[in-house]
Amino acid sequence: MQIFGSEPQIMGQAAKVISEIADIVDINMGCPAPKVVKNGDGSRLLLDLELAREIMAQVVQNSTKPVTLKMRKGWDSEHIVAVELAKIAEDCGISALIVHGRTRDEFYSGVADWGIIKQVKEGVQIPVIGNGDIKCVEDAKQMLEQTGCDGLMIGRGALGNPWIFRQINDYLQKGEEPKEISEREKFQVIKEHFELLLEEKGEYTATREIRKHIAWYIKGMKNATVMREAVNRVESKEEFEKILKEYFECQENIV
Ligand SMILES: Cc1cc2nc3c(=O)[nH]c(=O)nc-3n(C[C@H](O)[C@H](O)[C@H](O)COP(=O)(O)O)c2cc1C
């Protein structure tokens, strides 16, 4: 479970509570959203390393589980602090680091700097997880080779492609090239995804949230535009399930 905030005492209290139910407590020092940084939280802490230190010390002290830190490269090109912050984190007892190779200023644009991940890896003893722009198995291999990192974190590359984790494992462990995902498996996974959304968020929100996921899942498939437009009008569970079934039936008669 991840927490963000900039008041060391409160972050410590939060860690105490959530570490009872979480396996790992992760501190967010990467979020670039204006509503988060304007309160001094998320990536804003990259401009105040002493406060970042106090927060990490409090969280580590109060957590009954390992604490990790998610960070960006720095605030902007004038404030590249990843290596310094990583050393402070190690000093505070943080168990592992996740480094996104972009500054706050960059948000999600441009190309992630994997060089900074390599520098962090070389600067600390604790495990370093590389993050940013891993979209396929080859990217995963390159990230490991170029940075020497210990693990990978994948964000946008998993949207519409939750198979990426299996594909990367198969590629790295068995040298298997990723296979095309069958229509049947896609259908089953989308169905399960929707059922989980329903369970978690109820029909109103699920039928709306599934819209963006459908767009990612069916990108490049036949009649994707028509399907996207149809799903965007869906308001009930039954309607969605019907449209999904019909769409996949006319792809390959697999349902
Ligand atoms: C929609 C969205 C939501 C995100 N939410 C979080 C979050 O809650 N906590 C976090 O540490 N990072 C969050 N991130 C950032 C990702 O963890 C990751 O650092 C970033 O997307 C770069 O990795 P990628 O190129 O694999 O997407 C989010 C990213 C996206 C696109």
Side-chain angles (χ1 to χ4, degrees), residues 1 14 50 74 106 206 251:
M1 285 185 167
E50 268 322 299
E106 292 173 304
Q251 296 281 315

Side-chain angles (χ1 to χ4, degrees), residues 68-180:
T68 56
L69 176 70
K70 171 88 184 301
M71 61 156 105
R72 281 183 175 240
K73 174 180 174 180
W75 176 259
D76 57 20
S77 58
E78 308 282 290
H79 300 87
I80 307 294
V81 298
V83 176
E84 195 181 346
L85 180 61
K87 289 182 175 166
I88 296 173
E90 184 169 49
D91 211 38
C92 290
I94 293 287
S95 299
L97 302 164
I98 304 103
V99 184
H100 177 194
R102 283 188 175 84
T103 60
R104 188 271 172 175
D105 240 23
E106 292 173 304
F107 283 84
Y108 295 95
S109 69
V111 179
D113 172 13
W114 291 359
I116 195 78
I117 300 170
K118 183 171 194 272
Q119 286 177 40
V120 170
K121 173 64 192 162
E122 286 165 356
V124 293
Q125 302 296 315
I126 53 176
V128 174
I129 296 164
N131 171 239
D133 298 350
I134 303 172
K135 294 179 290 293
C136 61
V137 296
E138 189 52 36
D139 293 340
K141 184 162 175 267
Q142 288 297 324
M143 168 72 93
L144 289 166
E145 281 176 11
Q146 288 177 29
T147 68
C149 67
D150 305 281
L152 305 170
M153 181 178 278
I154 296 155
R156 292 164 298 173
L159 297 172
N161 185 20
W163 300 276
I164 192 169
F165 304 102
R166 182 178 79 199
Q167 290 173 335
I168 290 173
N169 275 334
D170 287 349
Y171 186 68
L172 296 177
Q173 287 163 14
K174 302 182 246 169
E176 270 176 28
E177 291 292 335
K179 288 188 270 307
E180 182 98 24

Side-chain angles (χ1 to χ4, degrees), residues 17-237:
V17 174
I18 69 158
S19 62
E20 291 303 314
I21 49 171
D23 300 313
I24 291 174
V25 176
D26 186 48
I27 308 173
N28 183 334
M29 294 194 195
C31 185
K35 67 176 181 196
V36 171
V37 300
K38 84 170 191 311
N39 293 331
D41 309 335
S43 60
R44 178 64 176 73
L45 288 159
L46 302 170
L47 287 178
D48 191 342
L49 299 189
E50 268 322 299
L51 182 57
R53 178 197 293 276
E54 279 176 53
I55 291 167
M56 291 189 281
Q58 282 296 323
V59 171
V60 168
Q61 201 182 317
N62 284 283
S63 172
T64 55
K65 303 282 171 53
V67 179
T68 56
L69 176 70
K70 171 88 184 301
M71 61 156 105
R72 281 183 175 240
K73 174 180 174 180
W75 176 259
D76 57 20
S77 58
E78 308 282 290
H79 300 87
I80 307 294
V81 298
V83 176
E84 195 181 346
L85 180 61
K87 289 182 175 166
I88 296 173
E90 184 169 49
D91 211 38
C92 290
I94 293 287
S95 299
L97 302 164
I98 304 103
V99 184
H100 177 194
R102 283 188 175 84
T103 60
R104 188 271 172 175
D105 240 23
E106 292 173 304
F107 283 84
Y108 295 95
S109 69
V111 179
D113 172 13
W114 291 359
I116 195 78
I117 300 170
K118 183 171 194 272
Q119 286 177 40
V120 170
K121 173 64 192 162
E122 286 165 356
V124 293
Q125 302 296 315
I126 53 176
V128 174
I129 296 164
N131 171 239
D133 298 350
I134 303 172
K135 294 179 290 293
C136 61
V137 296
E138 189 52 36
D139 293 340
K141 184 162 175 267
Q142 288 297 324
M143 168 72 93
L144 289 166
E145 281 176 11
Q146 288 177 29
T147 68
C149 67
D150 305 281
L152 305 170
M153 181 178 278
I154 296 155
R156 292 164 298 173
L159 297 172
N161 185 20
W163 300 276
I164 192 169
F165 304 102
R166 182 178 79 199
Q167 290 173 335
I168 290 173
N169 275 334
D170 287 349
Y171 186 68
L172 296 177
Q173 287 163 14
K174 302 182 246 169
E176 270 176 28
E177 291 292 335
K179 288 188 270 307
E180 182 98 24
I181 306 302
S182 72
E183 307 293 342
R184 180 182 297 277
E185 189 171 0
K186 255 192 199 173
F187 170 77
Q188 290 298 346
V189 167
I190 297 172
K191 204 159 153 281
E192 188 187 346
H193 189 156
F194 182 64
E195 279 158 12
L196 291 168
L197 268 179
L198 272 176
E199 221 177 279
E200 185 84 10
K201 305 197 169 180
E203 189 171 32
Y204 183 88
T205 307
T207 48
R208 279 141 186 93
E209 282 196 10
I210 198 67
R211 296 173 185 177
K212 63 183 180 206
H213 293 285
I214 282 290
W216 288 315
Y217 276 117
I218 66 171
K219 205 166 132 200
M221 283 174 67
K222 272 182 279 174
N223 299 317
T225 311
V226 179
M227 175 61 173
R228 260 199 329 268
E229 283 168 5
V231 172
N232 284 346
R233 289 191 294 269
V234 159
E235 294 193 348
S236 77
K237 168 182 178 296

